[in-house]
Amino acid sequence: MKLSNLGFDQWFEARAAQFLQEDGSVARVSAVDRGSYLIRNESGEVPAELAGKFSYQIEGPIDLPCVGDWVTVQYYDNDTAAIIYGVFPRKTFLRRKTAGANVDFQMIAANIDAAFIVQSCHFDFNPRRLDRYLVMAADGGVEPIVMLTKTDLITRDELEQKLANVRTATEARVLSLSSITGSGFDEFQQTLSPGRTYCLLGSSGVGKTTLINRLIGREAYDTKPVSGTGEGTHTTSRRQLIVLSQGAMLIDTPGMRELGLVGAGGGVNAGFVDLVGLSANCRYADCSHEHEPGCAVQAAVESGELSEDRYSSFIKLKKESDYYAMSYLDKRRKDRAFGRFIKSSKKQMKD
């Protein structure tokens, strides 16, 4: 296997010279689990750890290697282990706000060509949550593909209604399938191209790991029995990159309960192209679409051209993204000020 088979294309080759040390090598992060790493090279997977200097230079979680990153490494113990010295710039990424009250970024995966946003046709189907995933993908420059699973749990008419709902929210490709009947699985498989990297995003129990096992052709990864309602339960505990036999790469991710957005203003606009199109007719160029007279977006809501739910989702995500962006910048300013204080104190103690 060559690095190009793992996605190391001309974009990364053009940046290799400035990141590679004289005796360094390039590898791709294939798994991250509680601060330990697995990297994949031309020969296979190798455990890795961060170099001390690199760890010291990291300013926040966003700077740590994540699954899909390309990194510079040095091997030891006859190439059975490695030390990570740096991370290449990310061509694309998937990130969210860290869970809880802390305002910071958490990287989900990097250098993704397309993300399958997976929702079950049963209890998990949630258009508002779908909006968040679409914004997350747009924010990181990742192509979204919406996938509705467990179609065997609903009628054909119910499926058509759900597909129609999704198509009003996005121009992305939409797939539907059932891992029980196999319906739609061939179409899913045909979307996977050699050398390209895909990511599965969705709540716990929507069938992401089951899809991977079916692609591989065996029960390579653990799944749990479905509940009495037909819904699955959480199984995946870490993000990992899997190289499929046809040459495509697929990243499985644990289900995410929280999908907070930080500074994703451009992603919000890209995730709501219908509203952006309407806003071109607003009286004011900087219209917030809330209180201004002559707002074309509000007029579309009043006329029924735009649904109240879609409008509310847009306003909510825009405000949340902007609020957390300001909070994040304030946090970074405080962190830098504290760092300068520590350095100044140490210098005074030496003097």
Side-chain angles (χ1 to χ4, degrees), residues 91 105 123 151 165 242 259 283 314:
K91 187 197 295 189
F105 289 102
F123 295 113
T151 57
N165 289 341
I242 301 155
L259 280 175
R283 182 181 301 175
F314 172 79

Side-chain angles (χ1 to χ4, degrees), residues 29 82 93 138 148 150 152 169 172 177 179 226 288 293-294 299 322 327 350:
V29 178
F93 55 82
L148 301 184
K150 305 188 181 183
D152 55 287
L177 57 81
S179 293
V226 296
S288 69
D322 292 344
S327 300
K350 288 181 179 178

Side-chain angles (χ1 to χ4, degrees), residues 20 28 87 163 328:
L20 268 179
R28 195 170 193 189
V87 179
L163 290 171
Y328 176 73

Side-chain angles (χ1 to χ4, degrees), residues 94-137:
L94 295 168
R95 67 185 182 185
R96 64 168 179 172
K97 174 190 166 294
T98 51
N102 186 38
V103 180
D104 212 332
F105 289 102
Q106 179 187 21
M107 299 303 302
I108 306 301
N111 305 315
I112 310 300
D113 294 297
F116 292 102
I117 302 171
V118 187
Q119 288 204 332
S120 164
C121 283
H122 213 205
F123 295 113
D124 180 72
F125 185 75
N126 186 326
R128 290 289 184 91
R129 192 171 182 82
L130 174 60
D131 286 341
R132 287 182 175 272
Y133 277 119
L134 289 170
V135 170
M136 177 191 290

Side-chain angles (χ1 to χ4, degrees), residues 116 145-147 167 173-177 182-192 215:
F116 292 102
I145 303 174
V146 181
M147 180 184 292
R167 288 178 178 129
R173 184 175 181 180
V174 185
L175 306 177
S176 60
L177 57 81
S183 173
F185 186 79
D186 287 344
E187 184 181 3
F188 166 52
Q189 199 166 21
Q190 289 167 10
T191 64
L192 305 173
L215 284 171

